[in-house]
Amino acid sequence: MSYSKCCIKGFEWNGTPSGKVGKIVDLNTYIAGDNADAAVLLIHDVFGWTFPNLRLLADHFAREINATVYLPDFFGGEVVEPTPAILSGDFSGYDFPGFMVRNSREVREPEVFAVAKALRQKYAKVGAIGYCFGGWAVFRLGAKEHNPPLVDCISTGHPSLLTKKDIKEIAVPVQLLVPEHDQMYIQELKSFTFETIPKLGVEFDYRHYPGVVHGCFVRGSEKEPGEVLAMARAKNDAVNWFNQFLHEP
């Protein structure tokens, strides 16, 4: 299954994002909230940092986690416009293979690390959440190679480009938000996750959402049974997770 077919679906939420646009390590960034002690790095999916759904999620997280939320541009200014055709799954006419070369793990990982290091210097507590494309990135932020850790905990919804090595090397509390049907986070990886993470000595929260598909936590459709409810539940589950680790009890 190609990356494009799994990711390009959904609809734009209603509402107007209420944050501001700024910079972090010279990357354009959507910023929501103003807590001086706790931050959340939100790593976007294929639609990038301007996608309204993700900005609205950032607003929710800022209010409900009481954190400053950063949604940087990790695509170098390139934007996949959420046109009706693309949202319906028609990616013809767009150079998606080229897009993925320009925005590969190897290209974007240094920027992801740089942002996390900058947040770590500024905030006492830092969490990271990534959807689809952002899934591999938050696992890399939580890897055991970082000492001290770059983040205090991570969460990911329907991760893409994730490897068994990423899973084996996680060293911070990890939450997975997992639709039942996901052609990117396949059953083999799900089984490997269950076999591996409980042996690593980190807190582990696996949330299963029956009947929904990859992409639903950001681009779920009112026309598909259960997707809007899954979006709300996944948002609430992430909020509860971060509230456990980003604030003193």
Side-chain angles (χ1 to χ4, degrees):
M1 176 63 67
S2 71
Y3 188 91
S4 61
K5 289 182 180 177
C6 85
C7 293
I8 310 305
K9 67 178 291 293
F11 78 112
E12 294 184 15
W13 290 349
N14 295 322
T16 302
S18 58
K20 61 185 179 182
V21 172
K23 294 264 191 180
I24 185 166
V25 295
D26 293 326
L27 298 179
N28 288 325
T29 304
Y30 179 79
I31 304 170
D34 58 1
N35 188 302
D37 298 316
V40 172
L41 171 57
L42 172 55
I43 303 180
H44 53 67
D45 66 358
V46 70
F47 285 120
W49 77 294
T50 61
F51 192 48
N53 294 19
L54 279 173
R55 292 189 172 195
L56 290 167
L57 262 180
D59 293 347
H60 276 287
F61 289 152
R63 290 191 301 267
E64 297 170 32
I65 302 169
N66 187 22
T68 306
V69 180
Y70 291 79
L71 172 57
D73 174 18
F74 288 119
F75 286 162
E78 190 169 3
V79 173
V80 178
E81 292 290 346
T83 63
I86 287 179
L87 285 169
S88 68
D90 179 5
F91 225 5
S92 60
Y94 191 85
D95 179 21
F96 195 80
F99 173 85
M100 288 308 301
V101 169
R102 294 187 294 276
N103 298 290
S104 67
R105 287 180 51 139
E106 293 74 19
V107 169
R108 297 305 172 191
E109 183 176 277
E111 295 177 339
V112 172
F113 283 0
V115 170
K117 290 174 181 177
L119 294 179
R120 179 55 93 192
Q121 292 176 354
K122 184 175 181 179
Y123 294 92
K125 295 287 186 178
V126 179
I129 185 167
Y131 295 90
C132 193
F133 176 88
W136 68 267
V138 296
F139 264 81
R140 292 292 296 130
L141 289 176
K144 63 184 178 182
E145 70 192 66
H146 305 297
N147 188 18
L150 293 181
V151 293
D152 295 289
C153 62
I154 67 167
S155 176
T156 179
H158 36 70
S160 294
L161 309 179
L162 192 63
T163 68
K164 290 182 178 180
K165 184 175 184 289
D166 297 330
I167 295 168
K168 287 191 294 186
E169 294 185 349
I170 195 66
V172 300
V174 53
Q175 179 187 60
L176 285 108
L177 310 170
V178 182
E180 180 180 1
H181 307 293
D182 193 335
Q183 58 271 56
M184 298 305 292
Y185 184 50
I186 60 175
Q187 185 57 51
E188 180 183 356
L189 283 178
K190 292 176 182 178
S191 297
F192 185 81
T193 299
F194 275 109
E195 294 167 2
T196 304
I197 294 181
K199 301 175 184 177
L200 300 179
V202 299
E203 294 201 47
F204 175 41
D205 183 36
Y206 186 99
R207 314 297 288 186
H208 172 77
Y209 304 84
V212 292
V213 301
H214 183 98
C216 64
F217 303 139
V218 176
R219 302 183 302 280
S221 172
E222 292 175 323
K223 298 177 181 178
E224 298 295 331
E227 285 198 350
V228 173
L229 180 59
M231 282 195 294
R233 287 179 171 167
K235 183 266 292 181
N236 292 339
D237 286 338
V239 167
N240 292 337
W241 179 250
F242 285 118
N243 275 327
Q244 293 180 68
F245 297 101
L246 299 187
H247 302 290
E248 296 297 330

